Amino acid sequence: MDRAASDVSPQPVRLQDYAPPAHLIDTVELTVEIGDDWTKVRSVLRGRRNPAAGPGPAPIELDGQDQQLLSVTLDGRRLTEADFALESERLVLPAVDGAFEVTVEGRIRPQDNTALEGLYRSGGLYCTQCEPEGFRRITYYPDRPDVMAVFTVRIEAEKDRYPVLLANGNRIEAGNLPLGRHYAVWHDPFRKPAYLFAMVAGDLGCVEDRYVTRSGREVALRIYVDHGNEARTGHAMESLKRSMRWDEDVYGFEYDLDIFMIVAVSAFNMGAMENKGLNIFNDKFILADPSTATDGDFQRIEGIVAHEYFHNWTGNRITCRDWFQLSLKEGLTVFRDQEFSADTHDRGVKRVADARLLRTVQFPEDAGPTAHPIRPDTYIEINNFYTVTIYEKGAEVVRMIHTLLGAEGYRKGIDLYVERHDGEAVTCDDFVVAMEDATGSDLSGLRLWYAQAGTPTVTARWRHDPASRRLDLTLSQSVPPTPGQPSKQPMPIPIRTALIGRNGGALPLRIAGDRSVAGETERVLVLDRPSMTVSFEDVAPGAVPSLLRDSAPRSSSTPPGPRTTWRSWRRRTTIRSDAGKPCSRCRPGRCWPWSRGCATAGRWRSTPGWWRPSGQVSAMTA
C-alpha cells in the first residue's frame, strides 16, 4: 500500500491554531531490520485518549512520509484497507475512546533518502536525523513534540558490515542471529518526543572513558568515529567531562543514564544533534589534532559538545510543546553553553565573541526581510526558523532574566521550572511563569521579547548640576518596524548602570526617592517606556554614567564608559573617525579625555567607527 501523491500546496501553520493531540503514546516498541534492498520497520504503539483534547472517541492520526505500509493492527485486529484512510502524509485509524495498541509494519529505503531526514544511509553507515519532523519517515507516528513516550528499540543487521548497533538509552540485550546477522536492544526509560529518537548502524571505532557523578554513579562515556580518527577525540572527551561537572556544580543537573554516547562521522548531514543519550555530530565538531588545530577549533568543539550535552535537561527532559517554542530549548541552552565557556575560560573574551555574532549576523537578520520574533506566530517550513534569532537572541532574553533576578533568583527559577515540568512538553510562558513564581517577580513585560521582532535602539543623555550635585540621566528607546509588525511597543530593557568618577572608579549610587540602593555601585534600571529620567544625588563633578553593562540585545547609543573588555576590544578593532567637537558650554578639562566630546551636555550616540556626539547607531555594549 503506497501513499497517494500530494498535490496540495504547503499551508501556513499558526501558533493560534495549536490544539493538544487527540491521543497520547505511552510506550513504543520499535524493531528495525536493516536489509540490502529494503529496511523493515515494525512499531507497537501503546497509547490512550488525551483527556486534555476533549471527551468522546476520536480517530487515531499518525504522520508518515516516504514509506510503504504493509499492515496495521488495532487492539489485536488486523485492519483492512476499508478500515483506515491512507492519505498523502497521514494514516487515519478508527476512533477510540480509551487505551489502545496499534501495530504498524512497513518498509523504507534509507539508501534512497535524499532528504537526509529520518533514517538514511551514507556510504556504509545508517544514521538518523529526526528533528524536527524526520521520525515520520521511519514509521507512522504522531510526530509532534508534545507526544512523549518511552522507547524500546531493537536493531537487526548483518554483523560483519554493521558491527555497531546503537540507539537511545541503555543497552539491555544483544546477541547473534542466523545467517550472519546480530541484534541489539536499547531501552530509554525517560519519555521523549520522536524528534529525539536516534539510531546508528555501521563499522566504527570507539574511544571509551568514564565519569563519576556527584552522587557516585559511574557513567560510561563513548565516542564513536570512523576508523583511524580515534586519536583525535581527546579534547572532545575532556570537554564532555568538564560539561558534566559544570552542569552539576552550577545547575545541580546530574546525568541520568548509564551511558552517554557521541557518534561523530563525516556522513552526518547536520552539525550536531542532542538525541537522548546518543548525540550525533559531524566529525568536524569533534575531531582535533593537537599539532594542527587552532584555538578556535578547540573552543568550537568544547562549546558544541557542551551545548548538546546541556540539552539533556533543557530540551530532552523538558522539551517544547510545539515548534513555535523552539527558543525555549535552544535559547536557554545557548545561554547555558555561553556561561559554561565564560566560567571555563575568560568571561570578557567570551562576551566579546557572543556580541560580535549578534552585531554581525543577528542584528542584520532583525533588520531585514526575514526578521521574526524568537517565538514566531506562523511558519510554512519550520526548518527555516533554526536561526540566530531563535538561538542567540533567545539566549540574550534568558540573560536578561538572569540580570533582572540575579544569579540566586535565576537558579531558584530554574529549580522550580524543572520541579514542575520534568518529563513534559511546555511553552516559553511556562518558563517565564516559573521564574516569576520562584522569586515573586513580575516579568510580564518581558514576554514582549518573545513576540516582537526588531532590535531596539537606546539613546542616553545626561546633565550634571554642580551646585546641587545632581545628575539627571534620560534614557529613551525606539524599535524600527519589521515585516508584519509596522507598529512597535517599547521593549523592557534592563540596563545595568554605574557612575564612574574622575579616578576611574565606580561611585556609590543614590537615586532620588529610592534609598534602597544606598552604597551600591551598580543598579539595574529597566527602560520599559519610550523615555524615562533617573536622577542621581550627591554626584561629584566629572562623573560619567556607564550603561548597558552586560545587559540586553540592542543597538546601543551609550556614552563612553570605563574600559570594559567589550569596549576595549571595540576600540582596538575599529578606526577612529570624526571624534567630534566640544559643545559651546565646554571649558578646558571638562570633556572626557579620550573622546573629546562633551561630558557636561552628555549627549552621546555610538557609531561603528568611534564615539562621537551624534551618528548612526550599531553597537553592542557588554
Side-chain angles (χ1 to χ4, degrees):
M1 291 172 280
D2 293 309
R3 297 185 315 116
S6 174
D7 297 324
V8 180
S9 299
Q11 297 299 309
V13 180
R14 295 180 174 84
L15 174 59
Q16 66 182 20
D17 296 334
Y18 170 82
H23 301 88
L24 301 175
I25 305 298
D26 294 315
T27 64
V28 178
E29 294 179 6
L30 189 69
T31 301
V32 181
E33 301 175 14
I34 296 175
D36 288 336
D37 194 17
W38 291 90
T39 292
K40 185 177 179 180
V41 181
R42 181 178 186 268
S43 62
V44 179
L45 314 179
R46 295 183 179 90
R48 54 193 161 87
R49 185 79 166 95
N50 183 6
I60 301 172
E61 298 185 359
L62 308 176
D63 302 302
Q65 284 182 262
D66 298 332
Q67 55 187 285
Q68 188 177 85
L69 181 64
L70 300 178
S71 68
V72 185
T73 300
L74 175 60
D75 292 331
R77 181 174 70 90
R78 181 165 179 148
L79 304 183
T80 68
E81 291 190 34
D83 296 322
F84 60 82
L86 183 60
E87 302 175 359
S88 60
E89 296 186 358
R90 188 172 60 167
L91 173 62
V92 183
L93 306 183
V96 298
D97 191 21
F100 61 87
E101 179 179 294
V102 172
T103 301
V104 179
E105 292 186 342
R107 60 181 189 173
I108 57 178
R109 290 178 56 85
Q111 63 270 35
D112 297 337
N113 183 358
T114 57
L116 304 182
E117 298 176 353
L119 177 64
Y120 64 92
R121 190 180 77 188
S122 180
L125 181 78
Y126 286 83
C127 65
T128 54
Q129 172 56 37
C130 291
E131 185 177 357
E133 296 175 340
F135 191 75
R136 64 188 63 189
R137 294 176 180 269
I138 299 174
T139 188
Y140 284 94
Y141 189 81
D143 191 10
R144 45 189 290 170
D146 56 354
V147 174
M148 304 176 70
V150 172
F151 278 69
T152 302
V153 179
R154 178 185 172 104
I155 308 171
E156 300 179 10
E158 185 180 334
K159 187 172 184 178
D160 288 344
R161 295 170 62 189
Y162 309 105
V164 175
L165 304 176
L166 308 175
N168 310 89
N170 302 316
R171 194 176 75 172
I172 59 175
E173 187 180 345
N176 295 320
L177 297 170
L179 303 177
R181 294 174 66 82
H182 71 139
Y183 74 95
V185 179
W186 294 81
H187 176 69
D188 183 359
F190 296 95
R191 298 182 340 124
K192 66 174 178 285
Y195 82 85
L196 291 172
F197 168 79
M199 61 165 282
V200 171
D203 185 5
L204 299 169
C206 179
V207 177
E208 296 189 57
D209 206 330
R210 70 186 188 99
Y211 177 82
V212 179
T213 69
R214 65 178 182 176
S215 67
R217 277 194 321 110
E218 184 171 308
V219 178
L221 307 179
R222 294 178 186 170
I223 299 180
Y224 293 88
V225 293
D226 292 322
H227 289 291
N229 286 332
E230 291 89 344
R232 300 166 63 192
T233 63
H235 179 65
M237 184 67 81
E238 291 304 312
S239 299
L240 173 59
K241 290 190 287 186
R242 284 194 296 271
S243 303
M244 298 175 80
R245 181 62 63 197
W246 183 89
D247 217 15
E248 290 180 348
D249 292 342
V250 178
Y251 281 83
F253 293 160
E254 186 174 310
Y255 187 63
D256 48 11
L257 292 171
D258 298 334
I259 185 171
F260 184 86
M261 298 172 287
I262 293 175
V263 174
V265 290
S266 59
F268 186 57
N269 64 308
M270 302 287 285
M273 178 62 202
E274 71 266 19
N275 317 296
K276 178 72 176 184
L278 178 57
N279 289 184
I280 302 181
F281 281 64
N282 186 286
D283 61 7
K284 69 180 179 180
F285 298 122
I286 289 294
L287 304 180
D289 186 338
S291 64
T292 58
T294 65
D295 289 348
D297 294 332
F298 287 119
Q299 292 167 1
R300 181 167 52 252
I301 289 170
E302 181 183 64
I304 296 176
V305 167
H307 179 92
E308 304 307 332
Y309 173 76
F310 293 154
H311 266 310
N312 186 59
W313 282 91
T314 53
N316 298 0
R317 290 281 290 259
I318 305 177
T319 194
C320 47
R321 185 196 70 179
D322 52 71
W323 292 117
F324 296 101
Q325 320 296 329
L326 180 59
S327 192
L328 172 71
K329 72 183 186 77
E330 295 300 346
L332 175 56
T333 305
V334 168
F335 173 73
R336 280 163 34 77
D337 81 56
Q338 289 174 349
E339 287 297 289
F340 163 73
S341 296
D343 287 345
T344 305
H345 303 290
D346 184 278
R347 178 166 292 274
V349 171
K350 175 58 179 170
R351 190 59 181 152
V352 166
D354 296 337
R356 287 183 66 186
L357 179 60
L358 285 167
R359 291 183 65 209
T360 58
V361 184
Q362 198 282 317
F363 281 14
E365 181 173 91
D366 237 355
T370 61
H372 54 277
I374 65 172
R375 183 178 57 192
D377 55 13
T378 184
Y379 66 81
I380 292 179
E381 171 53 67
I382 185 55
N383 282 296
N384 292 336
F385 278 111
Y386 285 78
T387 63
V388 288
T389 294
I390 300 295
Y391 281 65
E392 274 70 27
K393 186 175 180 179
E396 293 301 311
V397 173
V398 177
R399 186 177 298 277
M400 284 192 286
I401 293 175
H402 187 281
T403 298
L404 289 168
L405 301 183
E408 183 178 350
Y410 170 80
R411 173 61 191 273
K412 289 180 179 178
I414 287 290
D415 289 346
L416 182 59
Y417 173 64
V418 172
E419 179 184 337
R420 282 181 176 175
H421 300 298
D422 187 16
E424 296 181 354
V426 298
T427 67
C428 297
D429 287 332
D430 292 321
F431 176 76
V432 176
V433 167
M435 291 289 168
E436 290 176 321
D437 291 350
T439 59
S441 303
D442 181 5
L443 300 176
S444 56
L446 200 73
R447 289 173 173 82
L448 188 60
W449 283 94
Y450 287 93
Q452 184 166 277
T455 304
T457 295
V458 176
T459 300
R461 297 181 177 88
W462 74 92
R463 182 174 299 278
H464 181 257
D465 182 0
S468 64
R469 295 173 62 89
R470 180 186 181 104
L471 188 147
D472 293 327
L473 172 65
T474 299
L475 301 170
S476 59
Q477 66 163 294
S478 62
V479 187
T482 56
Q485 295 182 343
S487 299
K488 300 290 188 176
Q489 300 179 52
M491 307 282 265
I493 304 173
I495 301 176
R496 192 181 299 276
T497 303
L499 295 179
I500 308 302
R502 288 185 182 275
N503 64 356
L507 304 176
L509 298 180
R510 291 184 57 191
I511 297 178
D514 184 357
R515 302 305 179 192
S516 64
V517 298
E520 294 182 2
T521 57
E522 276 193 352
R523 178 69 180 269
V524 176
L525 307 176
V526 179
L527 175 62
D528 57 2
R529 63 203 75 170
S531 180
M532 74 177 191
T533 298
V534 179
S535 298
F536 298 90
E537 298 178 333
D538 196 21
V539 179
V544 176
S546 174
L547 306 176
L548 297 165
R549 301 159 68 90
D550 196 21
S551 297
R554 73 277 168 257
S555 294
S556 63
S557 303
T558 60
R563 291 184 180 272
T564 61
T565 303
W566 166 256
R567 294 181 189 275
S568 297
W569 173 84
R570 189 166 181 269
R571 290 190 175 93
R572 285 165 172 75
T573 55
T574 54
I575 299 174
R576 178 170 179 167
S577 61
D578 186 10
K581 297 179 180 180
C583 77
S584 59
R585 289 187 294 273
C586 276
R587 295 191 298 275
R590 294 293 296 276
C591 288
W592 198 260
W594 63 69
S595 62
R596 295 183 55 212
C598 179
T600 305
R603 183 172 183 270
W604 288 89
R605 296 179 68 83
S606 64
T607 67
W610 194 253
W611 298 104
R612 62 183 180 182
S614 62
Q616 180 65 38
V617 299
S618 59
M620 175 70 190
T621 305

